[in-house]
Amino acid sequence: LATNHGRGAKSDLQNAAQALGASVSAVEVAKFLDKKFQDLPSFQRAAFLVPSKGGLPGIDPALVRVDEECVYLVGNSLGLQPSRTRVLVSEELDKWAKWGVNGHFTGDRPWMPIDETVIQQSAAIVGAEKDEVAIMNSLTVNLHLLFVSFYRPEGSRNRIMYEASAFGSDYFAFESQARLHGLDPTKVLLPLNARTGEELLHTEDIVSAIQAAGDSLAVVCLGTVQYYTGQYFDVKAITEAAHAVGAMAIWDCAHAVGNVDLSLHEWGVDGACWCNYKYLNAGPGAIGGFFVHRKHLNKGLPLLAGWWGQKQAVRFNMEHSWDPEVDAGAWRLSNPPVLQTVSLLASLEIFSRTTMSELRGRSMLLTAYLELLIADLVGDQLSVITPECPSSRGCQLSLKFSEERSCLATFTALERRGIVVDHRKPNVIRVAPAPLYNSFHDVHKFCTALREALSEVAEPAAKRAKV
Amino acid sequence: LATNHGRGAKSDLQNAAQALGASVSAVEVAKFLDKKFQDLPSFQRAAFLVPSKGGLPGIDPALVRVDEECVYLVGNSLGLQPSRTRVLVSEELDKWAKWGVNGHFTGDRPWMPIDETVIQQSAAIVGAEKDEVAIMNSLTVNLHLLFVSFYRPEGSRNRIMYEASAFGSDYFAFESQARLHGLDPTKVLLPLNARTGEELLHTEDIVSAIQAAGDSLAVVCLGTVQYYTGQYFDVKAITEAAHAVGAMAIWDCAHAVGNVDLSLHEWGVDGACWCNYKYLNAGPGAIGGFFVHRKHLNKGLPLLAGWWGQKQAVRFNMEHSWDPEVDAGAWRLSNPPVLQTVSLLASLEIFSRTTMSELRGRSMLLTAYLELLIADLVGDQLSVITPECPSSRGCQLSLKFSEERSCLATFTALERRGIVVDHRKPNVIRVAPAPLYNSFHDVHKFCTALREALSEVAEPAAKRAKV
Ligand SMILES: Cc1ncc(COP(=O)(O)O)c(C=O)c1O
Ligand SMILES: Cc1ncc(COP(=O)(O)O)c(C=O)c1O
């Protein structure tokens, strides 16, 4: 499935329905697909705690069976909790209670090098070599650390290219990094705008903008999967275009990691950062991820230094001679946060049972199924702004409403039914079937509820129209 | 006790012993003192999990009662675990399991503003106003953030004054911050050296060095309580001296917070950072602390920006117009790490039962007691390098051995007896009775064990001498 850029997914689904003698929107199809794929390693729902509808805020007890699992389609915001998280967190609390400070060097998972437990699997998920990854801090902190190393304006090469609709935090990072170098953000920030009347960026437009900027360009930094539209950029082509004009390519992988199958190393990406609370399921405010390509390692790049970036063997000598690790660990500043690290470990253990390419295959089918089921709801009131081409999107579809009011009302109507999705101002509902734990039946339930919600929302208007 | 700069502590102890008709080193005196103070709010041992000797690595089962509580004198490295930590962490895992992403806005302690639960008490502990404190990141990251705001070299005002024996991480931060501005660290870093043959810095020497540096000085940054010697600098005098020459004063409070009674606001300190895993008992790799004086707030100081620094009301609008919080929260970059935050909260709940001045009073007595009990062990082989004057030190005493070998051997001999202290290269053992949970009996047990350890270590030498 992952071959063929996922373009076969829709017809596969239709063929399956035909073989069952059912319409593709029949619940039997969802059940059939779940049964067919439930034993594959890419489906790990049983390893997660799925909230019950009854416990959710905003539900209408008359509309839901309170003990039923909710339909959780918001792994793009906060992933579900692995059931092993509590076990691993508890083990660390036990160690602290039993050993005190000796936990730094004692036992199976000593704290001093505890981040080593999460490097290898993190690297596998982003398509990196082990020495290219550090797990530390949080996304925006890591983005700044990357800029300190890669954004080194010299003369007229000082521009930062970014999406005009970049996530706010990234924009503020760009702006403050420009100021850090005494530059005027309005002069050096170079936004990529969509064509008039369009939502998405065309790869060829990005590439020509890069070429046009030429040697004024210092850094290109985009969100790998756009948080609002769900567009998955062509990382390889854009990175190559940046390199061709002598610029660096930095990628914010917040919405990409654990969602699409990245190859940061192979694509020659210079630096990347991500958060682990979305598709990586490491919990609210989880520890961040950080990538520097091997070609930049051990080259004395400027960085913000701290004792933890030193080689382990000399780290505790307290000498004032900087002797950094030869890998991405050189960017580490502080001793690792233990509970945050094992919260990530609990999720990575689950990822280690499958591969990103298996997950991506499952994901393309799930999202194609979602797209098929809502096809007849799409029209003037509601459109899907996410790219149709499966290789240009991750699992998320962004539903755009023509009116903000009906967007919010639909969101609330879904909430009352125990459907958890998210609303982004002004008028988008994001729906993200996470391949690791969402089922075809989840998608089917969502679509049924969406249909109900839309007609509920339309009703008052229809009534008003009659008057 | 805290009045009189703690100078009365030793005679108070001696008077207490006399009233009991005992020598000050008699265990009855320890027991008497514990009984006398056990019900004061400054003694909260019952709120902590004290490891048993039997569970510790390195103990000799022949030398200890395995079920006895260990003597934990290393709160300057990793504080003990509050028993409420597990409860609070578990509550957050419950919320995540029950509510998923809705935990950001639901319940008593919603995640979105969860750092608010730890600001007020943190501010009280460092002597700050509420709006001057942010709880975020880790110490070294926060030190860099302070430097971005306060170290803004202009022309010849570009020097950073620091202790020649500064903690390694701080030194690397200074060096990399100089480089960030294209400056040569060897030209701008200005170390404060102790007088020849001395370990400690004299306030008057620091002040004259600041005056001599004059308007070449951009920033003075010291460790408030020196990690190695235990010296507590005169923050007020040094900060004033820095201001007098137009420099900024930044303080690393890692070893000061929860140990001494700070008044960061009153002293006019410009910026400060700390870690919460030492005297603050928030666990390995705990979240960091950050202070910016009110005089600098809401003044558009340069900073590394992120979405979380925006006012809550506009934070989720995703607009690209920076609208920062009016308090220290403007320096926040990312959404808060929930488990780390409640780990700190569990400890702050305990601190809220007492005050830093009560704790400081208890601490001065405890450390004076330690000093008294080891007085006769001090000599050629072993000296205390921490200042004798109670107002120039926190709770820690640093024992310096003339030989590295005997230092290590003593450390091991203490470890075998279930005494947890720490060793710092090359030849110092740091002993830190944390006032919040250490008892006089702990100190007494340590001294008894130290006596045994020293004679055990001396024995082979004595035997060698005989041959
Ligand atoms: C005085 C001092 N400064 C800085 C640090 C570095 O702390 P972190 O690893 O939390 O950044 C420490 C750690 O023990 C310290 O004691
Ligand atoms: C695309 C993107 N970038 C940056 C961030 C900011 O993340 P953090 O608060 O972890 O720094 C987010 C958070 O959702 C995001 O979605």
Side-chain angles (χ1 to χ4, degrees):
Chain A
L1 265 170
T3 58
N4 196 20
H5 300 291
R7 285 186 190 279
K10 276 195 196 170
S11 51
D12 284 356
L13 291 166
Q14 260 140 352
N15 293 343
Q18 215 162 17
L20 284 175
S23 136
V24 78
S25 63
V27 69
E28 291 73 37
V29 176
K31 289 182 175 166
F32 167 79
L33 292 167
D34 279 331
K35 196 147 180 214
K36 186 169 155 81
F37 297 120
Q38 71 190 1
D39 298 326
L40 292 186
S42 54
F43 187 56
Q44 295 289 340
R45 186 183 184 97
F48 290 91
L49 305 175
V50 183
S52 300
K53 288 184 177 172
L56 293 178
I59 56 134
D60 179 343
L63 290 175
V64 300
R65 272 186 32 215
V66 292
D67 56 346
E68 197 182 29
E69 284 178 346
C70 78
V71 177
Y72 197 81
L73 294 167
V74 70
N76 58 341
S77 184
L78 184 78
L80 288 180
Q81 183 179 162
S83 47
R84 285 267 298 159
T85 305
R86 193 181 293 263
V87 178
L88 294 190
V89 164
S90 187
E91 282 173 13
E92 297 309 322
L93 294 175
D94 290 344
K95 285 158 65 177
W96 181 14
K98 185 172 176 196
W99 292 327
V101 70
N102 293 297
H104 284 298
F105 298 99
T106 308
D108 289 344
R109 205 161 53 216
W111 299 328
M112 199 271 294
I114 198 164
D115 57 337
E116 286 175 12
T117 63
V118 290
I119 298 287
Q120 178 118 35
Q121 188 56 38
S122 295
I125 288 172
V126 298
E129 302 293 326
K130 208 180 150 213
D131 54 354
E132 295 173 321
V133 170
I135 298 297
M136 58 184 188
N137 307 318
S138 57
L139 190 159
T140 306
V141 171
N142 290 341
L143 185 58
H144 278 292
L145 298 181
L146 290 170
F147 265 71
V148 166
S149 296
F150 292 116
Y151 178 59
R152 288 167 292 155
E154 277 185 51
S156 63
R157 188 182 288 281
N158 61 18
R159 309 206 72 174
I160 300 170
M161 186 174 282
Y162 71 103
E163 314 149 61
S165 55
F167 192 86
S169 205
D170 297 20
Y171 177 80
F172 301 133
F174 307 150
E175 207 177 53
S176 56
Q177 285 286 332
R179 291 217 176 90
L180 188 62
H181 292 279
L183 299 169
D184 177 353
T186 63
K187 299 231 169 80
V188 302
L189 297 197
L190 201 55
L192 287 164
N193 283 291
R195 294 180 191 174
T196 319
E198 296 191 12
E199 295 271 358
L200 305 170
L201 292 166
H202 297 255
T203 305
E204 69 260 34
D205 292 355
I206 302 174
V207 169
S208 6
I210 291 172
Q211 285 161 351
D215 56 18
S216 76
L217 200 59
V219 163
V220 178
C221 182
L222 310 185
T224 313
V225 171
Q226 222 283 340
Y227 79 98
Y228 193 77
T229 63
Q231 178 174 18
Y232 178 17
F233 293 113
D234 188 335
V235 180
K236 185 165 184 276
I238 296 167
T239 298
E240 278 168 12
H243 292 166
V245 300
M248 295 286 171
I250 296 179
W251 290 89
D252 171 350
C253 296
H255 283 266
V257 61
N259 175 14
V260 294
D261 47 340
L262 299 165
S263 302
L264 298 183
H265 176 80
E266 199 187 309
W267 296 335
V269 162
D270 298 290
C273 53
W274 60 92
C275 55
N276 284 306
Y277 43 79
K278 299 179 186 291
Y279 300 103
L280 264 289
N281 316 304
I287 195 166
F290 178 90
F291 165 92
V292 168
H293 197 280
R294 197 177 263 182
K295 65 192 164 196
H296 298 300
L297 296 177
N298 210 12
K299 295 272 164 68
L301 275 197
L303 47 68
L304 297 185
W307 70 323
W308 224 259
Q310 296 245 102
K311 294 197 183 81
Q312 204 167 294
V314 300
R315 197 180 295 153
F316 302 98
N317 291 353
M318 290 297 148
E319 271 159 31
H320 289 180
S321 52
W322 174 240
D323 188 4
E325 285 280 11
V326 296
D327 59 20
W331 275 261
R332 288 175 304 185
L333 296 157
S334 295
N335 72 97
V338 168
L339 300 188
Q340 279 201 306
T341 305
V342 298
S343 299
L344 174 58
L345 179 58
S347 173
L348 294 178
E349 284 179 1
I350 306 173
F351 275 92
S352 74
R353 299 176 196 157
T354 177
T355 64
M356 280 313 302
S357 90
E358 284 172 351
L359 274 174
R360 180 71 166 138
R362 176 175 166 85
S363 175
M364 282 177 161
L365 210 54
L366 260 179
T367 296
Y369 181 65
L370 169 62
E371 199 177 25
L372 263 178
L373 293 203
I374 60 171
D376 67 321
L377 300 174
V378 167
D380 284 353
Q381 300 297 308
L382 175 67
S383 61
V384 177
I385 58 173
T386 308
E388 252 189 88
C389 171
S391 64
S392 298
R393 69 184 185 203
C395 70
Q396 166 187 326
L397 293 186
S398 301
L399 312 186
K400 185 170 180 172
F401 289 72
S402 54
E403 289 173 49
E404 192 171 343
R405 190 200 57 83
S406 65
C407 178
L408 269 171
T410 306
F411 178 77
T412 311
L414 289 168
E415 211 176 26
R416 283 210 305 279
R417 289 165 172 79
I419 311 288
V420 194
V421 289
D422 92 356
H423 167 243
R424 279 284 165 179
K425 286 181 183 171
N427 55 348
V428 159
I429 289 178
R430 304 187 302 181
V431 187
L436 199 55
Y437 52 74
N438 282 122
S439 64
F440 289 87
H441 203 175
D442 280 340
V443 171
H444 192 273
K445 286 179 189 164
F446 164 76
C447 294
T448 307
L450 177 63
R451 205 169 293 275
E452 287 175 24
L454 289 172
S455 69
E456 188 180 297
V457 169
E459 246 168 48
K463 275 187 195 152
R464 268 202 311 278
K466 267 193 216 158
V467 182
Chain B
L1 267 171
T3 57
N4 197 19
H5 300 291
R7 284 185 190 281
K10 277 196 194 168
S11 51
D12 284 357
L13 292 165
Q14 260 141 350
N15 293 342
Q18 213 162 18
L20 284 174
S23 136
V24 78
S25 64
V27 70
E28 291 73 37
V29 176
K31 289 182 176 167
F32 166 80
L33 292 167
D34 279 332
K35 197 149 176 212
K36 186 170 156 81
F37 296 119
Q38 71 190 3
D39 297 326
L40 292 185
S42 54
F43 187 57
Q44 295 289 341
R45 187 184 184 97
F48 289 91
L49 305 175
V50 183
S52 301
K53 287 183 177 173
L56 294 178
I59 56 133
D60 179 343
L63 290 175
V64 300
R65 272 186 32 217
V66 292
D67 56 347
E68 196 182 31
E69 284 178 344
C70 78
V71 177
Y72 196 81
L73 295 166
V74 69
N76 58 341
S77 183
L78 184 78
L80 288 180
Q81 182 179 163
S83 47
R84 287 266 299 160
T85 306
R86 193 181 294 262
V87 178
L88 293 191
V89 164
S90 188
E91 283 173 12
E92 297 310 321
L93 294 174
D94 290 344
K95 285 158 64 178
W96 180 15
K98 184 173 177 195
W99 293 328
V101 71
N102 293 297
H104 283 298
F105 298 98
T106 308
D108 290 343
R109 206 161 53 215
W111 299 328
M112 199 269 294
I114 198 164
D115 57 337
E116 287 174 12
T117 64
V118 290
I119 298 287
Q120 177 118 37
Q121 187 57 39
S122 295
I125 288 172
V126 298
E129 303 293 326
K130 208 180 151 213
D131 55 354
E132 295 173 321
V133 169
I135 298 297
M136 59 185 189
N137 308 318
S138 57
L139 191 159
T140 305
V141 171
N142 290 341
L143 185 58
H144 278 292
L145 297 182
L146 289 170
F147 265 71
V148 166
S149 295
F150 291 116
Y151 179 58
R152 288 167 292 156
E154 277 183 52
S156 63
R157 189 184 287 282
N158 62 17
R159 309 206 72 173
I160 300 170
M161 186 174 283
Y162 71 103
E163 315 149 61
S165 55
F167 193 86
S169 205
D170 297 20
Y171 178 80
F172 301 134
F174 307 149
E175 207 176 54
S176 56
Q177 284 286 334
R179 292 213 177 93
L180 188 62
H181 292 279
L183 299 169
D184 177 353
T186 62
K187 300 231 167 84
V188 302
L189 297 196
L190 200 55
L192 287 164
N193 282 290
R195 294 181 190 173
T196 318
E198 297 191 11
E199 295 273 356
L200 305 171
L201 291 166
H202 297 255
T203 306
E204 69 259 34
D205 292 355
I206 302 175
V207 170
S208 1
I210 291 173
Q211 285 162 350
D215 56 17
S216 76
L217 199 60
V219 164
V220 177
C221 182
L222 310 186
T224 313
V225 172
Q226 222 282 342
Y227 79 98
Y228 192 78
T229 64
Q231 179 173 16
Y232 178 19
F233 293 113
D234 188 335
V235 180
K236 186 165 182 277
I238 296 167
T239 299
E240 279 168 10
H243 291 166
V245 300
M248 296 285 172
I250 297 179
W251 291 89
D252 171 349
C253 296
H255 283 267
V257 62
N259 175 15
V260 293
D261 46 341
L262 299 165
S263 303
L264 298 184
H265 176 79
E266 198 187 307
W267 296 334
V269 162
D270 298 289
C273 53
W274 59 93
C275 54
N276 283 307
Y277 44 78
K278 300 181 186 288
Y279 300 103
L280 265 289
N281 315 304
I287 196 166
F290 179 89
F291 165 92
V292 168
H293 197 279
R294 198 176 261 183
K295 65 192 165 194
H296 298 300
L297 296 177
N298 210 12
K299 295 274 164 67
L301 276 196
L303 46 69
L304 297 185
W307 69 324
W308 224 259
Q310 296 244 102
K311 294 199 182 81
Q312 204 167 294
V314 300
R315 198 180 295 153
F316 301 99
N317 291 354
M318 290 297 148
E319 272 159 32
H320 289 179
S321 52
W322 175 240
D323 188 5
E325 285 281 10
V326 297
D327 59 19
W331 274 262
R332 288 174 304 184
L333 297 158
S334 295
N335 72 98
V338 168
L339 299 188
Q340 277 200 309
T341 305
V342 298
S343 300
L344 174 58
L345 179 57
S347 173
L348 293 180
E349 285 178 359
I350 306 173
F351 274 92
S352 73
R353 299 175 196 158
T354 177
T355 64
M356 281 312 301
S357 90
E358 285 172 351
L359 275 174
R360 181 70 166 138
R362 178 175 164 86
S363 176
M364 282 178 160
L365 208 56
L366 260 179
T367 297
Y369 181 64
L370 170 61
E371 199 176 26
L372 264 179
L373 293 203
I374 59 171
D376 67 319
L377 299 174
V378 167
D380 283 354
Q381 299 297 308
L382 175 67
S383 60
V384 177
I385 57 171
T386 308
E388 251 190 270
C389 170
S391 63
S392 297
R393 68 185 184 202
C395 71
Q396 167 187 326
L397 292 186
S398 302
L399 313 185
K400 185 169 179 173
F401 288 72
S402 54
E403 288 173 50
E404 192 171 344
R405 188 200 59 82
S406 63
C407 178
L408 270 171
T410 305
F411 178 78
T412 311
L414 288 169
E415 209 176 28
R416 282 209 306 279
R417 289 165 172 79
I419 310 289
V420 193
V421 289
D422 92 356
H423 167 243
R424 279 285 166 179
K425 286 181 183 170
N427 55 348
V428 159
I429 289 179
R430 304 187 302 180
V431 187
L436 199 55
Y437 52 73
N438 282 123
S439 63
F440 289 86
H441 204 175
D442 279 340
V443 171
H444 192 273
K445 286 177 187 164
F446 164 75
C447 294
T448 306
L450 178 63
R451 205 169 292 275
E452 287 174 25
L454 289 171
S455 71
E456 188 179 298
V457 169
E459 246 170 48
K463 275 185 194 152
R464 271 203 311 277
K466 268 192 212 154
V467 183

